[in-house]
Amino acid sequence: MSDVLKAPLAPKKTPTSAPFWDGLAEGRVLLQQCEACNQWVFYPRPRCSHCLAPALLWKPVSGAATLTSWTHCPRPTAPPFEALAPQTLAVVTLQEGVRMSTFLLETADRPLTLGMALAPRFVPTEDDSAVLLAFAPA
Ligand SMILES: [Zn+2]
């Protein structure tokens, strides 16, 4: 868990997404993998986005990723995020091939480059009701 930063807002868990959020609370990244076609799926959903099979299993992954895109936001993206500004918002590609929108940490002294290696960071919300998934240079 990051002791540097607390995120202001907690996500709303659904029955479909709860394993993802519960995994983050345990410091683990869980992704869905399809039993029928073996493809990885993100965001959480009840059916495979590749073959539509309802056979998705939650599996732990390393969280290792590469940087796909990013932007620096000197102003908060919304009022609750004022304490986090400036934010670096990013799209990252996990080793399993899925992409996710996130934010980057620990980038002050690190120039960002496309494809750079990233590692997961687990950021609790202010009310400690959830943990968000961020990334930092590996
Ligand atoms: Zn499938």
Side-chain angles (χ1 to χ4, degrees):
M1 302 268 181
S2 169
D3 57 2
V4 175
L5 178 66
K6 293 250 180 173
L9 296 177
K12 289 194 189 283
K13 285 187 200 175
T14 66
T16 301
S17 69
F20 176 75
W21 299 115
D22 292 345
L24 295 182
E26 298 168 356
R28 301 187 309 151
V29 180
L30 301 178
L31 292 179
Q32 291 176 301
Q33 188 175 29
C34 179
E35 277 192 297
C37 72
N38 288 325
Q39 293 291 313
W40 294 95
V41 173
F42 186 82
Y43 54 89
R45 57 189 97 200
R47 288 183 173 270
C48 176
S49 56
H50 303 277
C51 73
L52 299 179
L56 296 173
L57 296 178
W58 287 98
K59 296 186 177 178
V61 297
S62 70
T66 56
L67 184 57
T68 302
S69 182
W70 75 93
T71 188
H72 295 290
C73 300
R75 297 175 55 186
T77 53
F81 294 96
E82 191 170 337
L84 302 183
Q87 289 180 277
T88 301
L89 305 181
V91 174
V92 303
T93 303
L94 274 71
Q95 278 183 334
E96 292 73 18
V98 301
R99 288 184 173 169
M100 60 177 64
S101 298
T102 183
F103 57 101
L104 302 182
L105 302 173
E106 305 165 29
T107 60
D109 301 329
R110 303 288 296 268
L112 300 178
T113 57
L114 284 176
M116 71 186 295
L118 301 170
R121 295 291 185 269
F122 302 92
V123 181
T125 56
E126 286 177 350
D127 64 0
D128 288 320
S129 67
V131 173
L132 305 185
L133 180 58
F135 290 83

